[in-house]
């Protein structure tokens, strides 16, 4: 287990390589700290479930590099892309129908995948090579803490690397929005701009 401070490009590349070798990390987002693992490796996904003591019937969200990367993992259309342009990057998780390259382990055998693009430079850098998991850095049903010291005290050596980006002031998770029906539906209220949510709520999806 290592705690990484003063993150630079060399350390970012080392962390990407670590995830490519089935190791898992804790990293900052624009809402809370998350646990990151390569989404295309089921062994890595199992390590995330084990670290969180998370039941396998609860899916994991993912973090992608940018808006163009969404089409690599999910099915979109022109209307969905208009909504994405309003929401992302930002403190939102969108639910979309997944593509076949997404593991059933990641999605708990559901046909949808939960996607984030946080407004956070670290997330942008960490996802240059492949998408990573984006699930809160805590044991299931336990508090999500805003500092690495507190998170480490809870998760311990189940995490290979912790990125210490200081205090994350928002302790609220992202707002989850389902984009798989005729209209957007807010599944979980969290961080977000009410004005933006007001704009998208009556937009057509199909």
């Amino acid at each position: 287990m290592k705690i990484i401070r003063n993150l630079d490009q060399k350390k970012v590349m080392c962390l990407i390589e670590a995830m490519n070798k089935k190791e898992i990390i804790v990293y900052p987002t624009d809402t809370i700290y998350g646990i990151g693992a390569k989404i295309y490796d089921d062994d890595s996904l199992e390590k995330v479930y084990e670290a969180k003591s998370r039941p396998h019937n609860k899916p994991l969200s993912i973090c992608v590099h940018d808006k163009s990367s969404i089409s690599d993992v999910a099915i979109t259309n022109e209307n969905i892309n208009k909504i994405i342009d309003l929401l992302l990057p930002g403190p939102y998780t969108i639910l979309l129908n997944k593509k076949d390259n997404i593991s059933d382990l990641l999605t708990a055998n559901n046909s949808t995948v939960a996607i984030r693009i946080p407004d956070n430079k670290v997330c942008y850098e960490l996802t240059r090579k492949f998408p990573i998991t984006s699930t809160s850095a805590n044991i299931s049903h336990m508090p999500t803490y805003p500092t690495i010291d507190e998170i480490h005290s809870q998760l311990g050596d189940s995490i290979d690397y912790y990125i210490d980006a200081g205090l994350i002031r928002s302790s609220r998770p992202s707002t989850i929005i389902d984009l798989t029906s005729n209209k957007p539906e807010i599944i979980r209220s969290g961080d977000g701009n009410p004005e933006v949510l007001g704009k998208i709520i009556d937009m057509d999806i199909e």
Side-chain angles (χ1 to χ4, degrees):
M1 185 282 300
K2 293 182 180 179
I3 295 179
I4 306 296
R5 297 183 174 90
N6 302 315
L7 192 67
D8 57 24
Q9 194 61 37
K10 182 178 180 180
K11 291 176 182 176
V12 166
M13 296 310 297
C14 288
L15 289 166
I16 291 172
E17 182 59 24
M19 288 188 287
N20 201 38
K21 294 178 178 177
K22 305 180 186 294
E23 295 184 295
I24 64 175
I25 69 172
V26 164
Y27 66 98
T29 75
D30 54 357
T31 54
I32 56 179
Y33 278 97
I35 299 178
K38 185 178 182 179
I39 71 164
Y40 299 125
D41 186 276
D42 280 359
D43 290 340
S44 300
L45 298 178
E46 284 287 3
K47 289 182 72 174
V48 176
Y49 277 105
E50 289 171 10
K52 287 179 63 70
S53 298
R54 186 178 180 87
H56 283 71
N57 63 355
K58 291 189 175 182
L60 301 171
S61 300
I62 69 174
C63 176
V64 301
H65 183 60
D66 54 22
K67 286 181 279 191
S68 66
S69 304
I70 293 175
S71 61
D72 295 334
V73 296
I75 298 167
T76 65
N77 61 32
E78 185 176 349
N79 288 341
I80 289 172
N81 288 332
K82 288 178 181 177
I83 296 170
I84 288 171
D85 284 339
L86 290 171
L87 293 173
L88 301 174
Y92 308 99
T93 299
I94 58 171
L95 295 181
L96 292 172
N97 289 309
K98 71 176 183 178
K99 288 192 170 177
D100 291 340
N101 61 334
I102 299 303
S103 169
D104 287 335
L105 178 61
L106 178 81
T107 62
N109 294 308
N110 292 312
S111 61
T112 57
V113 60
I115 300 169
R116 287 218 64 202
I117 306 177
D119 188 11
N120 179 279
K121 184 178 179 181
V122 175
C123 297
Y124 182 78
E125 295 295 335
L126 288 172
T127 53
R128 283 189 176 277
K129 300 295 185 181
F130 44 78
I132 64 176
T133 56
S134 181
T135 180
S136 57
N138 67 314
I139 293 174
S140 293
H141 306 300
M142 292 185 68
T144 302
Y145 292 117
T147 69
I148 283 297
D149 286 345
E150 292 171 301
I151 293 169
H152 175 246
S153 70
Q154 187 183 101
L155 294 176
D157 291 342
S158 65
I159 304 296
D160 297 296
Y161 294 92
Y162 292 84
I163 301 174
D164 189 350
L167 176 70
I168 294 185
R169 296 190 180 280
S170 173
S171 60
R172 302 182 71 200
S174 61
T175 293
I176 299 178
I177 304 165
D178 188 344
L179 299 181
T180 63
S181 299
N182 293 327
K183 299 283 185 181
E185 181 182 357
I186 297 175
I187 303 299
R188 180 184 73 190
S189 293
D191 259 11
N193 185 328
E195 184 177 341
V196 172
L197 293 173
K199 285 182 180 179
I200 66 113
I201 203 66
D202 291 321
M203 293 177 70
D204 292 324
I205 291 175
E206 297 297 330

